[in-house]
Amino acid sequence: MTLLCASTARAQEPVSDEQARTERVRAELDRQLQEMVTSSPPEIRLLFVGLDPAEHKLVEVHFTLDGQPLEVPPVEELGAPGPRLLTSRQVAEGPHTLVSNVVYMDASWNLFSETSGFLWNMTSTLNFQAQRGLRVDVKAMTVLVPDAKDPRLKLKLSHDVAVEMTAKLADGALPEPAPAPPVASTGKSPEPRPAPPAASQKARLLVRATARRKPVGATLLVRGATQRQVALKRGARAATEVEVTPGAYTVDILAPGYLAQTRRVELTGDKGLSLGFDLVRAPKKKLVQEKKNRLEPRQPLRFRMGNAAFEPRGAGLLQHVVDALVRRPQRRLRIEGHTDSMEAEESARQQLSEARARAVAEWLVKAGVDPARIESAGFGDTRPKAPNLTPRGRELNRRVEFIVLE
């Protein structure tokens, strides 16, 4: 029996050499094909499509890629119909975020139009993946929405995305793979080959949801390069582990009877990130309701005279605003600040109203809301809600309003 095994082993030696040579040829073929197809680095080309300047004048444009501002042509060159190339550049492989901000003004000056002299300040965010050998063409477009009842919604900023292959196969002779040699049968099944290693590194998110220090059941929504929906078990003592690819993520949590919360995290593949949510019980009656494209609080945020910061108890109200945004992840919000007519000099009221709106916007961003979903504006004392003749009227005018944009 021992002699037979030795004889079989000697018979297989030439076959193993042929197989090894074939594998080397195939590996070289794969390498050459990989060099030909992926030699081109990822690219992005950004274009802008404007409106008719006779009706809508372009006032400002701002574009940021992964938080870095992009240099673009002046508005005088962009305020005409038709696509205009803003920039074309190479980028790194992986996920990217483009934020576009465009400001238009109604240029018709029709005294009978409800939008005469109106300003539209629009922001839109696009998340996309860049890959070697591909060019991502992004077209930022402002479109008219003639059926919108609210004049603030008659213009809308959006992105149109197309992907084009830029890599070309180079000329060259490829080695012909050798025909597979006959394999001597040994009466045994071939051993399975080990699986190739994972192509991408994984990141871990360790999540806990509690209310008054007790674990609660909830639904976790992870949005980013990887989309995940995970159920957190009620009463679970250990953290729930969620495995995703590294990158930037928005993590939302929703639980019956509690206010929804959100976080923005950056995950890497070297270690896990612990994330804890301390949930707040939702009241039987909603403190914030949506009415006619507005979020209407039952009790307004209060501001002391001449002060841009809202009173501390207003933080509880803003938790309900976060809840409304988490439950409608596609919507954006504009926060509009206002003053009364007596709390500051006329020249300072505009700045005070803007500071109030920014203070609320910054609180929401710190609470986890994506800053691309929030914008702020101030109107001084030009839009009073009540007469400024009484202390109560002036208190009502020191306020912010929440306008739903999408």
Side-chain angles (χ1 to χ4, degrees):
M1 191 69 176
T2 305
L3 292 175
L4 178 60
C5 289
S7 176
T8 303
R10 285 193 296 271
Q12 282 186 330
E13 287 178 1
V15 177
S16 298
D17 291 342
E18 288 296 324
Q19 287 179 333
R21 188 178 71 84
T22 301
E23 289 297 326
R24 288 196 297 270
V25 172
R26 288 176 177 172
E28 178 63 15
L29 178 62
D30 291 340
R31 186 190 66 78
Q32 293 187 27
L33 285 173
Q34 188 74 5
E35 288 182 351
M36 290 179 180
V37 175
T38 63
S39 58
S40 177
E43 298 178 27
I44 177 176
R45 187 169 64 175
L46 178 60
L47 301 99
F48 177 75
V49 181
L51 298 174
D52 186 354
E55 297 183 359
H56 298 91
K57 181 181 178 181
L58 184 62
V59 180
E60 293 182 25
V61 291
H62 304 282
F63 298 91
T64 61
L65 181 63
D66 300 327
Q68 300 298 320
L70 297 176
E71 293 186 7
V72 299
V75 293
E76 292 78 12
E77 299 180 14
L78 303 176
R84 297 288 190 276
L85 179 63
L86 299 182
T87 184
S88 180
R89 60 178 58 201
Q90 296 180 352
V91 294
E93 280 190 282
H96 295 274
T97 300
L98 174 71
V99 179
S100 304
N101 175 248
V102 176
V103 180
Y104 266 103
M105 182 179 70
D106 188 338
S108 62
W109 296 108
N110 183 352
L111 297 179
F112 299 98
S113 172
E114 61 180 352
T115 61
S116 178
F118 199 88
L119 280 175
W120 288 271
N121 189 339
M122 300 167 289
T123 302
S124 183
T125 302
L126 173 70
N127 296 309
F128 65 93
Q129 287 278 343
Q131 185 176 339
R132 292 184 65 84
L134 298 178
R135 183 182 68 221
V136 180
D137 289 339
V138 180
K139 191 182 295 182
M141 304 182 298
T142 303
V143 296
L144 296 172
V145 187
D147 297 333
K149 296 181 180 180
D150 191 331
R152 290 169 292 193
L153 305 179
K154 288 188 178 294
L155 295 187
K156 182 179 179 180
L157 180 64
S158 62
H159 292 113
D160 181 58
V161 182
V163 179
E164 182 177 345
M165 186 174 180
T166 58
K168 297 181 180 179
L169 288 176
D171 295 332
L174 297 178
E176 293 290 339
V183 179
S185 175
T186 63
K188 298 181 180 180
S189 300
E191 295 183 0
R193 295 185 179 181
S200 58
Q201 200 175 18
K202 294 294 184 180
R204 292 182 305 118
L205 189 62
L206 306 174
V207 185
R208 297 176 185 268
T210 59
R212 295 184 178 180
R213 299 183 180 181
K214 294 183 179 181
V216 298
T219 299
L220 191 73
L221 302 175
V222 182
R223 293 180 285 111
T226 304
Q227 311 291 329
R228 296 290 304 275
Q229 179 173 328
V230 181
L232 305 185
K233 295 182 180 180
R234 181 180 180 183
R237 295 295 177 182
T240 299
E241 181 175 321
V242 183
E243 190 176 76
V244 295
T245 57
Y249 287 88
T250 296
V251 182
D252 299 336
I253 191 164
L254 300 96
Y258 295 90
L259 296 178
Q261 295 184 16
T262 185
R263 299 285 190 275
R264 291 179 296 117
V265 297
E266 185 77 27
L267 298 178
T268 60
D270 55 351
K271 60 181 179 179
L273 176 66
S274 297
L275 194 61
F277 292 89
D278 187 14
L279 302 184
V280 177
R281 178 72 69 175
K284 293 182 178 180
K285 288 187 178 181
K286 291 185 176 181
L287 296 187
V288 174
Q289 294 181 331
E290 184 174 342
K291 296 180 180 179
K292 296 181 179 180
N293 298 318
R294 292 171 180 261
L295 294 182
E296 297 279 357
R298 290 185 178 273
Q299 296 292 332
L301 283 177
R302 299 188 182 278
F303 295 86
R304 294 183 179 179
M305 196 168 186
N307 199 328
F310 55 86
E311 295 185 359
R313 58 181 175 177
L317 176 65
L318 291 180
Q319 290 179 340
H320 290 258
V321 176
V322 173
D323 174 84
L325 289 173
V326 172
R327 297 181 188 278
R328 293 173 175 81
Q330 303 302 323
R331 295 190 174 180
R332 297 189 301 111
L333 199 65
R334 181 171 67 239
I335 301 159
E336 298 181 348
H338 303 271
T339 70
D340 66 37
S341 62
M342 300 177 63
E343 60 179 324
E345 296 292 333
E346 183 176 0
S347 59
R349 291 175 204 151
Q350 176 64 29
Q351 296 180 357
L352 179 58
S353 65
E354 293 174 355
R356 283 175 175 164
R358 282 197 304 271
V360 175
E362 290 171 359
W363 192 98
L364 294 175
V365 170
K366 289 180 180 179
V369 178
D370 188 343
R373 300 179 62 191
I374 304 292
E375 62 182 65
S376 61
F379 295 93
D381 64 337
T382 61
R383 298 183 182 181
K385 190 175 183 179
N388 284 296
L389 302 176
T390 64
R392 175 58 177 166
R394 292 191 292 273
E395 182 183 21
L396 293 175
N397 290 332
R398 298 192 296 270
R399 72 193 193 280
V400 294
E401 295 183 350
F402 303 92
I403 311 300
V404 178
L405 300 179
E406 295 179 2

